[in-house]
Amino acid sequence: MNKISFVTSNKNKFLTLSKKLKDVAVRLEHANVNLIEPQTSTIKEVAIFKAQEAFKILQHPVLVHDSGLTITALNDFPGPYTKYVSETIGNIGILDLLKNHSDRSAYLVQTFCYTDSQRTLCFSDSVKGHILNSMQPNIQNTKWGNIWDIFAPGDLNYSRSNLSDEEYFAIRSHIQTNSAWDELYNFLKNLK
C-alpha cells in the first residue's frame, strides 16, 4: 500500500479527503509541514511549488491542495492571494470591495497536486457561484476557509458553510464540467 502524506494545516481538509478516498488502496497520512506560500499568478503554481517543497522535506509521495476565490467583478481577485486577503481584510473587506458591483459571480478554484520522486501531477477544477450580500455563519463546522461564509455555489442563496460535504458534492456534480476530486481518486486508485 502506497503511503502519501497530505500536507495541510487544515484538519478538515484531511478529514474530507480521507472520506473521499476511503476505498482507495493508499495510506493517507496527515502532515502539517510549514511551507512558504509563494506569491504567484495562479493557484496551480502555488500548489506545484508547495508540493515540490513538501516532497523535498518529507522524501516520500505528497499531496497538497490549494484553492482560491476568483471574483469576476474584481478581475478574478483575490485568486492565489485568497489566504492573504482572508487573513488581512477578511470577508468584510471582500464584501466592501463588492458593494458597488451588481455582478457578484465568482468561482472557487482548486488544485490538488501530487508529487513523488518521478513526477508532479495536478488535478484542478472550479465551481461557479456568487458572493452573497452578507456573511452566513458556519453551521457545519467543517469549513476549509473563511470564504465559505460568503460564497454560494451555483444559484443557491446560502453559503458553502451551510452545506455538509455530501450536499456540496451532490451540488458540484451538477454545476461543473470536470472534477479534480474524481481525477485524483482515479489516479490514486490506479497508483502502482
Side-chain angles (χ1 to χ4, degrees):
M1 182 177 291
N2 293 307
K3 171 185 165 184
I4 301 172
S5 289
F6 184 37
V7 180
T8 180
S9 60
N10 187 319
K11 190 73 170 174
N12 288 324
K13 283 187 180 185
F14 177 74
L15 294 173
T16 301
L17 188 61
S18 295
K19 282 187 220 174
K20 293 291 277 183
L21 300 176
K22 68 180 181 245
D23 60 344
V24 175
V26 297
R27 193 173 84 222
L28 191 66
E29 296 181 350
H30 181 234
N32 189 356
V33 177
N34 191 16
L35 298 171
I36 294 170
E37 181 90 17
Q39 300 303 306
T40 65
S41 59
T42 69
I43 291 160
K44 184 177 180 180
E45 289 173 329
V46 173
I48 290 170
F49 178 88
K50 288 167 54 176
Q52 292 172 343
E53 288 300 303
F55 179 79
K56 287 178 192 174
I57 294 166
L58 297 174
Q59 294 295 305
H60 63 260
V62 298
L63 181 66
V64 300
H65 175 271
D66 203 76
S67 61
L69 177 68
T70 63
I71 303 170
T72 305
L74 302 179
N75 296 321
D76 294 337
F77 181 79
Y81 310 107
T82 300
K83 182 177 180 180
Y84 176 75
V85 167
S86 185
E87 292 172 349
T88 54
I89 66 171
N91 288 339
I92 298 296
I94 293 171
L95 294 174
D96 192 47
L97 289 172
L98 285 172
K99 68 183 174 189
N100 295 321
H101 292 277
S102 59
D103 180 2
R104 299 183 79 83
S105 61
Y107 292 85
L108 275 182
V109 180
Q110 70 174 345
T111 296
F112 287 100
C113 195
Y114 169 88
T115 299
D116 61 26
S117 62
Q118 300 172 349
R119 62 197 159 187
T120 296
L121 299 171
C122 294
F123 311 95
S124 303
D125 67 23
S126 63
V127 173
K128 185 175 182 173
H130 59 279
I131 303 300
L132 298 167
N133 291 318
S134 62
M135 287 193 304
Q136 293 183 354
N138 178 13
I139 62 171
Q140 295 295 331
N141 200 28
T142 59
K143 71 180 177 179
W144 292 18
N146 292 331
I147 59 171
W148 280 15
D149 295 343
I150 60 172
F151 178 80
D155 57 3
L156 297 177
N157 60 1
Y158 47 90
S159 74
R160 166 61 179 103
S161 292
N162 286 285
L163 297 168
S164 69
D165 288 338
E166 293 77 17
E167 291 169 321
Y168 179 61
F169 286 114
I171 290 166
R172 280 178 64 101
S173 68
H174 299 292
I175 60 174
Q176 68 186 63
T177 56
N178 71 309
S179 170
W181 292 92
D182 293 344
E183 291 171 5
L184 175 65
Y185 176 90
N186 290 330
F187 167 71
L188 293 176
K189 189 174 180 182
N190 297 307
L191 185 64
K192 302 285 185 227

